[in-house]
Amino acid sequence: MSTQANGSTPEPIEKVSIIVSKGSLEGVYPGLIMANGARMEGIEANLFFTFFGLDAISKAKHENVKVATVGNPGLHLATWAGGIPGVSSLVTHKLAQEMEKLDIPPIPEFVEMIAESGAGLYACKASVDLFGLEREDFVDEVQDVITVGEFYGLAAGGQIIFT
Amino acid sequence: MSTMTYAGTAVDVDAEGFLLDHGQWNEQVAAEIATEAGIGELSERHWLVIDFMRKTYLESGAAPSIRTLGKVSGVPIKELYELFPKGPAKLAAKVAGIPKPRGCI
């Protein structure tokens, strides 16, 4: 355990509420890994999916979340090349293979795993309304569609992480 | 490194209390670590997980991930968290006398 500048030991984190706001593969995984990692440490965790982050819990889309190959300088791929049809699928497929080797589950399985670990999964009401979605559009593990205010209520007493 | 005494046996542990030598482990040691970790009395289901952790570690050199535990050990993930509420992979490894799992998943 680390110590702070004044020599005292900081309070351990007991609760995290993680917001997943992006719908690309690299936008979704960090939040899922942090939520799962929190539960692995016995830390209470909530996940709040908003905007395109909703794709991670959407029955229609959760199997098709892809790496953004355009406008993603981290890939070191020319923008024109990233836009060629099929490139995003190919890069996603390669990454999925590497993740499987590390025992990182695909998004649908990962979401299920995190729910089973006792984390709370919620969809953002504003985004759900904006996209014209219904509760039924989301996987069963989602507990509820909630407002921002309700999210803050759930997050009370813990840390909030925006991804 | 420090030394702890469990069930009348001195065992070498790391800073977080994980056994450094899995050969120093036995079932009484496991029971006392479990009590110390707040898990309480070990049930048959706990033992299923603990035995699976040891077996996997001794065969592969690494502790299984939660995903593998849930799929292969015969104990579903939901129950794993009920058995070891403060973190199944970590606590089960500690009770099983194997090193702390280093994976992020």
Side-chain angles (χ1 to χ4, degrees), chain A residues 40-85:
Chain A
M40 282 169 65
E41 295 298 319
I43 298 169
E44 188 184 338
N46 290 310
L47 271 166
F48 185 67
F49 297 89
T50 185
F51 268 79
F52 298 106
L54 286 174
D55 283 6
I57 50 168
S58 149
K59 281 180 194 163
K61 295 178 179 166
H62 67 161
E63 283 176 6
N64 297 306
V65 174
K66 292 195 166 56
V67 177
T69 49
V70 172
N72 186 351
L75 276 181
H76 301 279
L77 188 69
T79 296
W80 63 265
I84 296 172

Side-chain angles (χ1 to χ4, degrees), chain A residues 59-107:
Chain A
K59 281 180 194 163
K61 295 178 179 166
H62 67 161
E63 283 176 6
N64 297 306
V65 174
K66 292 195 166 56
V67 177
T69 49
V70 172
N72 186 351
L75 276 181
H76 301 279
L77 188 69
T79 296
W80 63 265
I84 296 172
V87 168
S88 182
S89 294
L90 181 73
V91 172
T92 301
H93 181 68
K94 292 300 284 179
L95 200 62
Q97 282 179 335
E98 294 304 313
M99 285 179 149
E100 191 58 50
K101 282 185 207 160
L102 295 173
D103 213 14
I104 302 176
I107 288 171

Side-chain angles (χ1 to χ4, degrees), chain B residues 12 52 58:
Chain B
D12 302 322
F52 183 79
L58 296 178

